[in-house]
Amino acid sequence: MNLKEIFNFEKRDSGGGRLSDFWYFFRRIRLNRTIVVLGMLIAAAVAGIVYVLNHVDQNYDVLSTIENEDTQSSEYIQMGDDLLKYGNESVSLLSQSGDTLWNQTYDMSDPSVSIMGDTAAIYDRRGTAMYVVKMSGPVGPISTDFPIVKAEVTLNGSVAAILEDGEKTWVNYYSSDGSLIVENQTRMENNGYPLDLAVSPDGAVIAVSYLMVDSGEISSHLVFYNFGQAGQGQVDNVVAEFTYEDTVVPDLVYFSEGTCVAFRDDGFSVFQGEDTPEESQNTEVNTQMISLFYNEEYFGIVTEGEEESYLMTLYAPEGRQRCSREFDMEYQSISVSGERILLWDGAQVEIYDLGGKLKFQGDVREGTVRNLFQMSRNRYLLISDEGIKMIRLSW
């Protein structure tokens, strides 16, 4: 038997012909092997993606340490890619490597800070001093006639503040050079007691939450003042008012010129509109609200959980729910920084992504955590009672 007979080779005609059964079988084997290899590669890739998405770090590496930083008597807060350090005697801006970019002295007894973009105002709670700074450097001081309860800064450096003097309160508005733009006096028996205020980033609109008490019944009166063109023809620049019976509104946050969120003791309301805000969403929370956290892009609420101790829910500024996740960690602080939700208690830390997936769970070796900021995908600035360190998650 010759080779032609063995392999049953068929001649090709002018229009082309078939390969022999041998070569057909050979190609099928190669094709099947290719399919198997591709399937294995796809399975490995899917397994890798699943591992990355569900991997929970428990270890980290210390990349650098900022030397000679006193974290006991100073407070630190993220400002852009840098770190704003403030205390009773001065404020300064530190780079991630620990270099002091600028420093400004002052005298305060209980400093607090308000940040909007690249602008900040440090104010003395129950004192009369404020200082406006930008990432590029100090701007200047602002002095008030009465003790400061709360202050909020705008992008251009103007500052709105609640001032208190006995039974009288003021909601005053100052330019960055310290001059008084608007003075609004209020009394408890008239407008109520101002609990909180928020200012739109451009400084045109100020929202104030007043607590009203009448014959033992409480209510909250939310007032929007417009100091731009739209408010010029309105009485006292008031462009919108809302009343909530048997409700307290202790917190207000402006996320953009057109979006303000009022946090009630029974939920939250979203107001939209640059000139004349209107309530676009009213969300009730039926369980006890435990914590509120937010940055310039998101806000979150922690309530009692059903299966575990707590339930955290993250929202976009317009009120759309981003994620919801139950957890059982007993936490001291919770915040949202960059693309992460951060919880800590003592040395214990948990980190979640914005989808609610747990990314890190463990204890830090650098003492008690005072603050934590995400600086890049897996790098964090850790502020502890032992100093400041740049850490990187192991994954």
Side-chain angles (χ1 to χ4, degrees):
M1 182 181 294
N2 57 34
L3 290 175
K4 180 186 294 186
E5 292 173 333
I6 292 175
F7 294 111
N8 192 25
F9 188 84
E10 297 181 359
K11 292 182 178 179
R12 300 187 181 199
D13 56 27
S14 59
R18 296 183 305 164
L19 291 173
S20 69
D21 291 342
F22 172 81
W23 292 111
Y24 177 75
F25 180 69
F26 180 70
R27 288 185 62 187
R28 288 291 301 273
I29 291 177
R30 292 186 63 184
L31 179 61
N32 290 339
R33 181 179 298 173
T34 301
I35 292 174
V36 170
V37 172
L38 287 175
M40 293 175 64
L41 291 174
I42 293 173
V46 171
I49 293 173
V50 170
Y51 175 78
V52 170
L53 292 177
N54 294 283
H55 176 71
V56 178
D57 279 309
Q58 294 182 323
N59 298 299
Y60 63 91
D61 299 317
V62 176
L63 301 180
S64 61
T65 300
I66 297 180
E67 302 291 347
N68 302 321
E69 278 301 314
D70 180 13
T71 59
Q72 298 290 339
S73 60
S74 298
E75 298 291 336
Y76 297 81
I77 190 167
Q78 188 174 359
M79 192 173 183
D81 293 330
D82 300 318
L83 204 59
L84 190 72
K85 170 188 175 182
Y86 65 97
N88 292 355
E89 298 179 351
S90 66
V91 56
S92 57
L93 190 67
L94 306 179
S95 68
Q96 293 186 24
S97 60
D99 296 327
T100 299
L101 304 178
W102 52 258
N103 181 74
Q104 175 62 51
T105 60
Y106 52 62
D107 183 19
M108 297 186 188
S109 58
D110 187 14
S112 187
V113 67
S114 167
I115 288 183
M116 178 69 71
D118 66 348
T119 308
I122 299 90
Y123 61 94
D124 194 7
R125 285 178 294 195
R126 302 300 171 182
T128 59
M130 293 189 283
Y131 212 103
V132 178
V133 300
K134 285 183 171 290
M135 292 185 65
S136 57
V139 176
I142 296 176
S143 180
T144 65
D145 293 330
F146 304 101
I148 304 166
V149 177
K150 176 76 180 291
E152 289 289 336
V153 72
T154 67
L155 287 174
N156 63 19
S158 57
V159 181
I162 297 175
L163 311 178
E164 185 178 54
D165 180 27
E167 296 182 357
K168 294 180 293 183
T169 58
W170 284 261
V171 179
N172 287 2
Y173 196 24
Y174 301 87
S175 66
S176 60
D177 63 8
S179 60
L180 182 63
I181 301 174
V182 176
E183 184 178 51
N184 182 16
Q185 181 180 327
T186 179
R187 289 179 177 270
M188 187 70 176
E189 62 270 20
N190 297 328
N191 296 41
Y193 182 82
L195 293 180
D196 197 19
L197 82 167
V199 189
S200 62
D202 64 355
V205 180
I206 298 178
V208 182
S209 171
Y210 295 96
L211 178 65
M212 310 286 292
V213 180
D214 185 13
S215 301
E217 300 293 328
I218 66 169
S219 63
S220 289
H221 190 50
L222 184 58
V223 181
F224 288 89
Y225 303 90
N226 190 317
F227 297 103
Q229 189 65 34
Q232 295 304 309
Q234 306 298 321
V235 177
D236 295 330
N237 297 90
V238 175
V239 292
E241 298 179 80
F242 305 87
T243 299
Y244 300 92
E245 302 293 342
D246 194 29
T247 303
V248 179
V249 183
D251 293 286
L252 299 172
V253 179
Y254 247 108
F255 289 93
S256 67
E257 277 80 2
T259 304
C260 178
V261 180
F263 297 96
R264 313 186 310 266
D265 58 0
D266 62 350
F268 63 87
S269 294
V270 178
F271 299 89
Q272 294 187 308
E274 292 189 15
D275 293 331
T276 305
E278 297 180 356
E279 187 179 56
S280 61
Q281 181 171 331
N282 186 317
T283 299
E284 292 188 0
V285 176
N286 297 321
T287 55
Q288 180 182 355
M289 296 175 62
I290 300 171
S291 297
L292 166 67
F293 59 99
Y294 56 87
N295 63 3
E296 294 183 356
E297 298 183 45
Y298 306 99
F299 68 87
I301 295 173
V302 178
T303 59
E304 294 179 339
E306 294 183 358
E307 297 182 3
E308 298 189 51
S309 300
Y310 305 104
L311 171 68
M312 65 177 175
T313 307
L314 189 70
Y315 298 89
E318 70 273 11
R320 176 178 54 86
Q321 182 175 310
R322 180 69 186 263
C323 76
S324 185
R325 166 73 185 248
E326 288 196 350
F327 65 97
D328 58 7
M329 174 182 170
E330 295 296 332
Y331 64 97
Q332 177 185 1
S333 296
I334 181 170
S335 68
V336 54
S337 174
E339 298 296 312
R340 293 292 184 263
I341 301 171
L342 313 168
L343 300 93
W344 62 88
D345 181 30
Q348 185 180 6
V349 173
E350 286 188 356
I351 300 176
Y352 296 83
D353 66 16
L354 297 182
K357 292 185 180 297
L358 182 63
K359 307 301 292 184
F360 177 87
Q361 184 180 51
D363 292 339
V364 300
R365 302 180 296 272
E366 282 70 33
T368 301
V369 179
R370 299 195 62 191
N371 221 325
L372 187 63
F373 309 106
Q374 184 189 29
M375 307 307 293
S376 63
R377 180 178 175 272
N378 64 343
R379 295 190 179 199
Y380 299 81
L381 264 178
L382 171 65
I383 316 295
S384 75
D385 57 352
E386 296 182 4
I388 304 176
K389 299 182 184 297
M390 179 72 76
I391 66 173
R392 179 181 59 195
L393 301 190
S394 298
W395 177 256

